Amino acid sequence: MTLRDADRDFADALRARLPRLDLRPAEGAILEEPRGRFHGRGGLVARPRESGEVAAIIAAAAQARVGVVPYGGGTGLVGGQVKPDAPAPLILSLERMNRIRRVCPLENVLIAEAGVILDDLRAAAAAAQRLFPLSLASGGSARLGGILSTNAGGVNVLRYGNARDLCLGLEAVLPDGRVWNGLSRLRKDNTGYDLRGLLIGAEGTLGVITAATLKLAPIPSGQGTALLVVASPEAALDLLGLARERLGEGVSAFELIHRQSLAFLAETLPDLRQPIAPPPEWSVLVDLGLAAGHDPQLALEDLFAAAQARGLVSDGVIARSEAQRAGLWALREAIPEANRRIGSISSHDISLPLGAVAGFIAAAPARIGRPGAYRINCFGHLGDGNLHYNVFPPPGHVRAEYDSRREEIMHAVHDLVHEMGGSISAEHGIGRLKVRELERYGDPVRLDAMRAIKAALDPMGIMNPGAVLR
Amino acid sequence: MTLRDADRDFADALRARLPRLDLRPAEGAILEEPRGRFHGRGGLVARPRESGEVAAIIAAAAQARVGVVPYGGGTGLVGGQVKPDAPAPLILSLERMNRIRRVCPLENVLIAEAGVILDDLRAAAAAAQRLFPLSLASGGSARLGGILSTNAGGVNVLRYGNARDLCLGLEAVLPDGRVWNGLSRLRKDNTGYDLRGLLIGAEGTLGVITAATLKLAPIPSGQGTALLVVASPEAALDLLGLARERLGEGVSAFELIHRQSLAFLAETLPDLRQPIAPPPEWSVLVDLGLAAGHDPQLALEDLFAAAQARGLVSDGVIARSEAQRAGLWALREAIPEANRRIGSISSHDISLPLGAVAGFIAAAPARIGRPGAYRINCFGHLGDGNLHYNVFPPPGHVRAEYDSRREEIMHAVHDLVHEMGGSISAEHGIGRLKVRELERYGDPVRLDAMRAIKAALDPMGIMNPGAVLR
């Protein structure tokens, strides 16, 4: 099915339907994505204010056969929000649908529109003495619609799950322009297929999420954070096992950090205080959230002692104040920014079965190149088996010199991940960056089922064309 | 698309493909379901031993246009496992695919085939010092495939989620007879549409689940159980809030029990010891699972004292031994059996937003009939907003006298549930019993999307015909 440009004729048709719609030519930042790998080529930007407008826009796009690219905070790292090729799309920015519609503290539920920024969601939950647990480095700009559409993860998946796990219901506009009113506040509802779960993670290719019912959690009574030096990734995983044995769900986050992360931080963000010198080869950031009557600092001290007795940890710092906690987390959350400043050749958002993580970290460098050919920054959500495995030029070189090697490096990493039963996209999604990688590694039966579902729900292919599936 | 009988010709065709397949005429118990509301009408039963056989069976059924009814433990309460109308189907029993393929304690993962019985799954996890948290009264006969296909719930959803939440990956045969190898052990994998989540809860209408990767949890170090007398459903919900504030995820189950449950138990199962006399109007069974160093009995005593100070609880028993714990749970788990012996006119597996539960319980009797016209047994998973709201004849009468009233009662209950934002099937599914109810109450946009997905994945309509969707 051939799509058409979102041109002046289409703009006129949209204005005829929706005279008050904020509709403009697409230009500037909305055509770029954070890593600069995709550049949009014009088209239109619509900024609807409510779901009825979204429905009318999608219906018009379906009638005119114009592609629609839903746009949240623009923080996606796989190009899901930027269509670089012709025909030019209508970019549907949800930024003006930014209302918190309802907070039900008794039910641990919050209903918000797709354009709400993550930090604002968390603040609204906190104002009701509740926690919205999803936490990302890009929380100041990522918006709910994009978070759900990419099934975002972040640092608290270990305890609270990813975006799909935190969503009870959706309001969405399907590709025929009809609104599905699925803003359920129910914890259990077995009345047919899980359309909610299907739209979450579909990256806007099956419809546009306009609002969602989210799960909140009680705020843990006491929170504690430590940065612990471990001997190896194996030791880190044993420490995780020990921590969960002793503290159960009290372990909220468990992040692996390699010395390369700390070196990049020192180089690009020298004002960030690094608490352990010299920088250890491997360390983990452990975050606890405990119920009333339990002291997280004491729990971390006990954990450290038990782990030290088993030879798992050798050094570390336990935050003694909220400011120290924030300082440890600031280190972790600044790693992506440091990476951006250095400039990776190829970044990999991979996951592995927990039992394969250490083997992967040991085997991967040799698959990529000779020793010293690259700098590797391996960090991430170890508790979920999710590593950000990013490859950088050696000192004195820049990524542009390695353009011709990028694909080879990526395939070396992804081949190994695939052999070990892992995923080539743990939390960032497929977008446009990994469409061919999905074809290369994805199960063909599942891919055919995905194509059949796409064709069934979006027969004209107007929704985020080129993302996820070709 | 017209289907054909699973007749002798089809049996011959299957035997030609699979000479060693256990294939017989369908007769006896496999044609009945627990409440006796649906009766199968012949056809064939195949009992494959591995997924390759399942694939060949489905391919043959697709070629011959024979309907396939997947069959697990036969415990489903909505007729999903029994096709009562012509043409007669092939019943695909997974009972011989009952291997635990792998247990990975380090990863908290277990891989099992669809025919494994729930209690055996739990035992296999326990043998590896892990917990498989899903727990149902029918755990001695329910099988994994049916549990996943109905997205079963049970008593520990509050803490650990339902079947969908406990599954990391699937192996399944799709309606074209191809095997999807999706037995991922990954905690995070964002590579396209959530086919796993779609097949879970699809009640065998989109394919046959043959194996699954399941999440395990650490076994809580100490477990404690109490039966507490509460003044009202509102007080029960306040008690839940208080318990979660104090104990976080440590609250594993929170079950509401009405006096009618205890009266039915006394009448039908008089040997079961009832610990509180006279039987209280409302009570809750609270189950805790706490990490090392925390005494659950003490925690329950503290909770009781705090709740008593707020006027939420007036009496109760805290189990002092594993035997006492088992005794309290035996009471709760015997309620369905007591109900079966009394014989309900209409049973309702409903869920409500937590904030609407008390209002529903207050308003529903008047919607059903004049005071005293019926006995109502309202119990269930209050922590999830999931009530089993079952309507029985008054003393001295039997359900058969009320056959003509069943639909009217059901609609009275479901209309109110729907008005209050609830679900007409919280955990049992749609099966064949609630197909028209789903049409009556379901969102039409979502239903159309479901039909489109069904047509896309199962264009000939061979998979569990008549279940979920007509």
Side-chain angles (χ1 to χ4, degrees):
Chain A
M1 205 85 54
T2 313
L3 297 178
R4 291 175 36 209
D5 265 323
D7 56 13
R8 195 172 297 180
D9 285 352
F10 181 62
D12 291 343
L14 263 185
R15 285 203 186 92
R17 279 182 188 237
L18 297 167
R20 301 182 53 191
L21 177 66
D22 179 345
L23 182 70
R24 308 177 200 189
E27 53 190 13
I30 205 163
L31 297 175
E32 305 299 326
E33 46 82 43
R35 288 184 182 154
R37 295 198 179 141
F38 297 89
H39 307 278
R41 308 209 303 177
L44 299 167
V45 184
R47 292 182 173 83
R49 292 178 184 276
E50 44 99 22
S51 51
E53 283 189 344
V54 176
I57 291 167
I58 299 293
Q63 194 177 11
R65 303 206 168 170
V66 165
V68 176
V69 176
Y71 192 94
T75 60
L77 295 173
V78 289
Q81 72 275 47
V82 175
K83 183 174 186 296
D85 49 3
L90 175 78
I91 300 169
L92 183 68
S93 168
L94 280 300
E95 70 195 273
R96 298 219 167 137
M97 288 191 61
N98 61 357
R99 286 174 293 258
I100 307 276
R101 291 196 192 161
R102 187 164 178 180
V103 185
C104 311
L106 166 77
E107 298 184 8
N108 282 311
V109 154
L110 181 153
I111 300 179
E113 293 181 345
V116 179
I117 289 174
L118 176 55
D119 283 352
D120 295 338
L121 273 180
R122 289 172 59 92
Q129 275 77 56
R130 291 295 182 273
L131 175 71
F132 180 62
L134 199 141
S135 176
L136 304 173
S138 58
S141 42
R143 295 177 192 266
L144 177 59
I147 285 166
L148 290 168
S149 294
T150 58
N151 187 28
V155 296
N156 289 330
V157 174
L158 179 66
R159 179 172 191 164
Y160 297 103
N162 53 23
R164 187 180 286 120
D165 299 317
L166 293 170
C167 175
L168 295 172
L170 294 178
E171 176 190 270
V173 178
L174 298 193
D176 62 2
R178 292 197 296 166
V179 180
W180 168 39
N181 292 304
L183 285 178
S184 160
R185 284 147 53 207
L186 304 174
R187 302 278 158 173
K188 282 165 123 179
D189 180 13
N190 273 348
T191 51
Y193 306 159
D194 186 17
L195 190 58
R196 175 201 63 86
L198 187 64
L199 289 178
I200 296 172
E203 306 188 34
T205 63
L206 300 178
V208 184
I209 293 170
T210 53
T213 314
L214 302 172
K215 285 187 203 170
L216 304 179
I219 298 176
S221 173
Q223 295 180 288
T225 303
L227 184 66
L228 304 180
V229 178
V230 290
S232 63
E234 289 92 333
L237 284 163
D238 288 343
L239 175 63
L240 173 64
L242 183 66
R244 299 191 75 180
E245 233 170 66
R246 300 170 69 95
L247 297 158
E249 292 97 335
V251 186
S252 301
F254 197 88
E255 300 283 307
L256 183 70
I257 300 174
H258 185 250
R259 183 161 49 208
Q260 190 65 64
S261 301
L262 303 173
F264 283 173
L265 288 171
E267 184 178 339
T268 62
L269 299 162
D271 291 347
L272 269 181
R273 204 181 84 76
Q274 296 209 13
I276 301 174
E281 183 177 8
W282 293 106
S283 51
V284 292
L285 191 67
V286 185
D287 202 72
L288 302 185
L290 302 183
H294 307 294
D295 180 340
Q297 285 185 30
L298 208 60
L300 285 166
E301 282 163 19
D302 289 351
L303 176 65
F304 182 82
Q308 200 174 28
R310 298 191 192 190
L312 302 177
V313 300
S314 58
D315 195 359
V317 291
I318 296 173
R320 298 289 163 198
S321 65
E322 271 307 303
Q324 286 184 14
R325 273 194 76 214
L328 292 179
W329 272 109
L331 266 188
R332 166 62 187 86
E333 298 202 331
I335 297 174
E337 176 59 24
N339 285 345
R340 252 189 301 275
R341 295 189 184 192
I342 301 287
S344 74
I345 303 169
S346 187
S347 303
H348 312 94
D349 164 42
I350 59 174
S351 64
L352 293 149
L354 277 184
V357 167
F360 172 85
I361 292 174
R367 296 284 284 256
I368 298 169
R370 58 178 167 67
Y374 304 106
R375 288 178 292 179
I376 293 169
N377 191 2
C378 171
F379 66 102
H381 318 300
L382 185 66
D384 316 311
N386 177 192
L387 301 176
H388 298 306
Y389 195 88
N390 298 353
V391 181
F392 295 81
H397 295 267
V398 296
R399 55 176 291 193
E401 298 169 49
Y402 292 82
D403 282 346
S404 64
R405 309 292 299 279
R406 178 166 299 126
E407 191 165 297
E408 174 191 325
I409 293 172
M410 180 176 72
H411 284 157
V413 173
H414 287 170
D415 283 354
L416 182 61
V417 166
H418 186 66
E419 287 163 26
M420 299 181 102
S423 168
I424 60 156
S425 185
E427 58 174 11
H428 294 167
I430 298 297
R432 291 176 173 82
L433 184 68
K434 295 186 181 173
V435 172
R436 283 165 200 271
E437 295 295 282
L438 176 59
E439 290 171 0
R440 182 181 170 106
Y441 300 107
D443 180 274
V445 176
R446 174 165 173 266
L447 283 173
D448 281 350
M450 284 172 54
R451 291 185 190 106
I453 291 167
K454 169 73 175 176
L457 295 182
D458 183 18
M460 289 191 289
I462 61 165
M463 290 310 310
N464 212 359
V468 185
L469 297 168
R470 278 197 281 187
Chain B
M1 204 86 51
T2 313
L3 297 179
R4 292 175 36 211
D5 265 322
D7 57 13
R8 194 172 300 178
D9 285 351
F10 181 61
D12 291 343
L14 263 184
R15 286 203 187 91
R17 280 182 188 236
L18 297 166
R20 301 182 55 192
L21 177 66
D22 180 345
L23 182 69
R24 307 178 200 189
E27 54 190 15
I30 206 164
L31 296 175
E32 305 298 327
E33 46 81 43
R35 289 184 181 154
R37 295 197 179 144
F38 297 89
H39 308 277
R41 309 208 303 176
L44 299 167
V45 184
R47 292 183 173 83
R49 292 178 185 277
E50 44 99 20
S51 51
E53 282 190 344
V54 177
I57 291 167
I58 300 292
Q63 194 178 10
R65 303 208 167 167
V66 164
V68 176
V69 176
Y71 193 94
T75 60
L77 295 172
V78 290
Q81 72 276 47
V82 174
K83 183 174 187 296
D85 51 2
L90 174 79
I91 300 169
L92 183 69
S93 168
L94 280 299
E95 69 196 274
R96 298 218 168 137
M97 288 191 61
N98 60 358
R99 286 173 294 257
I100 307 276
R101 291 196 191 160
R102 187 165 180 178
V103 185
C104 311
L106 167 76
E107 298 184 7
N108 281 310
V109 154
L110 182 154
I111 300 179
E113 292 181 346
V116 179
I117 289 174
L118 176 55
D119 283 352
D120 295 339
L121 273 179
R122 290 172 58 92
Q129 276 77 56
R130 292 292 183 273
L131 175 71
F132 180 62
L134 199 140
S135 176
L136 304 173
S138 58
S141 42
R143 295 177 193 267
L144 177 59
I147 285 167
L148 291 168
S149 293
T150 58
N151 187 28
V155 297
N156 289 329
V157 174
L158 179 66
R159 179 173 191 164
Y160 297 103
N162 53 22
R164 187 180 285 120
D165 299 318
L166 293 169
C167 176
L168 295 172
L170 295 178
E171 176 190 272
V173 178
L174 298 193
D176 61 2
R178 292 196 295 166
V179 179
W180 168 40
N181 292 304
L183 285 178
S184 160
R185 282 145 56 207
L186 303 173
R187 302 277 158 176
K188 282 165 123 180
D189 180 13
N190 273 347
T191 51
Y193 306 160
D194 185 18
L195 189 59
R196 176 200 62 86
L198 187 65
L199 289 178
I200 296 172
E203 305 187 37
T205 63
L206 300 178
V208 184
I209 293 169
T210 53
T213 314
L214 302 172
K215 286 186 202 170
L216 305 179
I219 298 176
S221 174
Q223 295 180 289
T225 303
L227 184 66
L228 304 180
V229 178
V230 290
S232 64
E234 289 93 333
L237 284 164
D238 288 344
L239 176 63
L240 172 64
L242 184 66
R244 300 192 75 181
E245 230 169 70
R246 299 169 70 93
L247 297 157
E249 291 96 335
V251 186
S252 301
F254 197 88
E255 300 283 306
L256 183 70
I257 299 174
H258 185 249
R259 182 160 51 207
Q260 189 65 65
S261 301
L262 302 173
F264 283 173
L265 288 171
E267 184 178 339
T268 62
L269 300 163
D271 291 347
L272 268 182
R273 204 182 85 77
Q274 297 209 11
I276 301 174
E281 183 178 9
W282 293 106
S283 51
V284 291
L285 190 68
V286 185
D287 203 71
L288 302 185
L290 302 182
H294 308 294
D295 180 340
Q297 285 184 31
L298 208 61
L300 285 166
E301 283 164 19
D302 289 350
L303 176 65
F304 182 82
Q308 199 174 29
R310 298 189 196 191
L312 302 177
V313 300
S314 58
D315 195 358
V317 290
I318 296 173
R320 298 289 162 197
S321 65
E322 269 307 302
Q324 287 184 13
R325 274 194 75 214
L328 292 179
W329 271 109
L331 266 188
R332 166 63 187 86
E333 298 202 331
I335 297 174
E337 177 57 24
N339 285 344
R340 252 189 301 275
R341 295 190 184 192
I342 301 287
S344 74
I345 303 169
S346 187
S347 303
H348 312 94
D349 164 42
I350 59 176
S351 65
L352 293 148
L354 277 184
V357 168
F360 172 85
I361 292 175
R367 297 283 285 256
I368 297 169
R370 57 176 170 66
Y374 304 105
R375 287 179 293 179
I376 292 169
N377 191 1
C378 171
F379 67 103
H381 319 300
L382 185 66
D384 317 312
N386 177 192
L387 301 177
H388 297 307
Y389 195 87
N390 297 354
V391 180
F392 295 81
H397 295 266
V398 296
R399 55 176 291 197
E401 300 168 49
Y402 292 82
D403 281 347
S404 64
R405 309 293 298 279
R406 178 167 300 126
E407 190 165 299
E408 172 192 325
I409 292 171
M410 180 176 72
H411 283 156
V413 173
H414 287 170
D415 283 353
L416 182 59
V417 167
H418 187 65
E419 289 163 25
M420 296 180 104
S423 168
I424 60 157
S425 186
E427 58 174 9
H428 294 167
I430 298 298
R432 290 175 173 82
L433 184 68
K434 296 186 181 173
V435 172
R436 283 165 200 270
E437 296 295 283
L438 177 59
E439 290 170 0
R440 183 182 169 107
Y441 300 107
D443 180 275
V445 175
R446 174 166 172 266
L447 283 173
D448 281 350
M450 284 172 53
R451 292 186 190 105
I453 291 166
K454 168 73 174 174
L457 295 183
D458 182 17
M460 289 190 292
I462 61 165
M463 290 309 310
N464 212 359
V468 185
L469 297 169
R470 279 197 282 189

